[in-house]
Amino acid sequence: MESIIDKIQNNVDITTKQPCSNEDIRARLILLQATNFAPPPLEYLQFIQKINGIKSFDACIYGCYEKSNSNFIDFLDKNILLDRSDKMSIITLGENTMDYLVYNKNNENYETRDLKTDQVTFTFKTLKDALSYFLALDNEE
């Protein structure tokens, strides 16, 4: 995971927020559970403790904030807004111009899903692989 964090932090086209605290995460998880949403995977929670959200030209990875704004979106706020029918198994972690990045709790994988049709376009076992693809980080080398 450290290699992907380095790529993100060294990419001039990506803006990140400061890490969030354990207390911030705990508070969001309590609210998430109260609204019957699937919990985010531990790997994602560890990631936002290092990089709390990402904004690039055409993509964003949600973070953990008390209040969303136009640049950085809170993962709980966005999932409440989307109000997916499958919210007990799918949590949305980011979006780009074509897809959502979600975690599928039942399949234990990350998926990109078409913004309009919600059809799965790609699946990934790790957050590192999902972020590399979703943020087009492998295209930089």
Side-chain angles (χ1 to χ4, degrees), residues 29 32-33 36-42 44-45 75 87-91 93 103-105:
L29 291 177
L32 197 68
Q33 186 176 19
N36 294 318
F37 283 95
L42 179 60
Y44 168 78
L45 297 175
F75 72 87
K87 69 183 183 181
M88 294 183 79
S89 60
I90 301 289
I91 185 160
L93 305 174
Y103 181 75
N104 185 322
K105 182 178 102 173

Side-chain angles (χ1 to χ4, degrees), residues 93-141:
L93 305 174
E95 63 189 85
N96 64 23
T97 55
M98 298 176 58
D99 298 300
Y100 285 114
L101 176 64
V102 305
Y103 181 75
N104 185 322
K105 182 178 102 173
N106 293 345
N107 297 336
E108 296 182 343
N109 64 19
Y110 297 87
E111 301 170 346
T112 56
R113 291 184 172 218
D114 185 273
L115 286 174
K116 294 178 182 159
T117 66
D118 200 40
Q119 294 298 308
V120 175
T121 52
F122 291 100
T123 61
F124 307 91
K125 276 295 180 196
T126 67
L127 181 61
K128 178 185 178 226
D129 292 341
L131 290 175
S132 290
Y133 171 78
F134 199 71
L135 298 170
L137 296 174
D138 288 335
N139 297 341
E140 296 176 357
E141 296 177 21

